[in-house]
Amino acid sequence: QVQLVESGGGLVQAGGSLRLSCAASGNVFSINTMGWYRQPPGKQRELVAIVSVGGGTNYADSVKGRFTISRDAAKSTVYLQMNSLQPEDSAVYYCRVEARMLPYWGRGTQVTVSS
């Protein structure tokens, strides 16, 4: 089992920045991929960015060049640095990890970008 706790969401003006954190606990040595998803109001959950255990990353086209995902293996934590935020980035952001081919989700953190 893996438990996830997200932090760092909030309200920011367009053009601003936020940094999300997701700390994993439990069976962290089995974690492979770590990532962030988001769900805007009334829409489906979508991939934002993922990072593999080897450090390879993948981003949604909408966030490339603005968001950066990183992981600290020693702290079992994944981060999402979000710059140049726009109102369309407003959503609940969820941390997701994969451990032994099973997905684990955090409870989500709200990000609201005002115009």
Side-chain angles (χ1 to χ4, degrees):
Q1 292 285 334
V2 176
Q3 295 79 43
L4 303 171
V5 177
E6 300 118 330
S7 61
L11 174 64
V12 65
Q13 288 187 333
S17 299
L18 284 174
R19 188 194 194 205
L20 305 183
S21 300
C22 173
S25 61
N27 194 6
V28 298
F29 296 104
S30 66
I31 292 176
N32 185 358
T33 301
M34 305 182 81
W36 291 94
Y37 289 69
R38 67 186 181 186
Q39 188 165 15
K43 296 184 179 180
Q44 291 186 332
R45 195 172 298 187
E46 61 184 13
L47 169 72
V48 177
I50 56 174
V51 56
S52 70
V53 66
T57 58
N58 190 30
Y59 294 90
D61 287 343
S62 60
V63 307
K64 285 181 180 177
R66 301 188 298 123
F67 291 10
T68 303
I69 190 170
S70 60
R71 65 190 287 173
D72 184 330
K75 296 181 179 179
S76 301
T77 300
V78 61
Y79 304 95
L80 186 68
Q81 177 66 43
M82 305 185 293
N83 298 327
S84 301
L85 284 161
Q86 299 301 316
E88 53 265 34
D89 294 316
S90 297
V92 178
Y93 283 70
Y94 295 91
C95 176
R96 179 190 186 276
V97 306
E98 188 173 292
R100 295 181 177 173
M101 300 182 70
L102 293 176
Y104 295 88
W105 292 90
R107 293 189 173 186
T109 184
Q110 177 70 47
V111 172
T112 303
V113 185
S114 63
S115 58

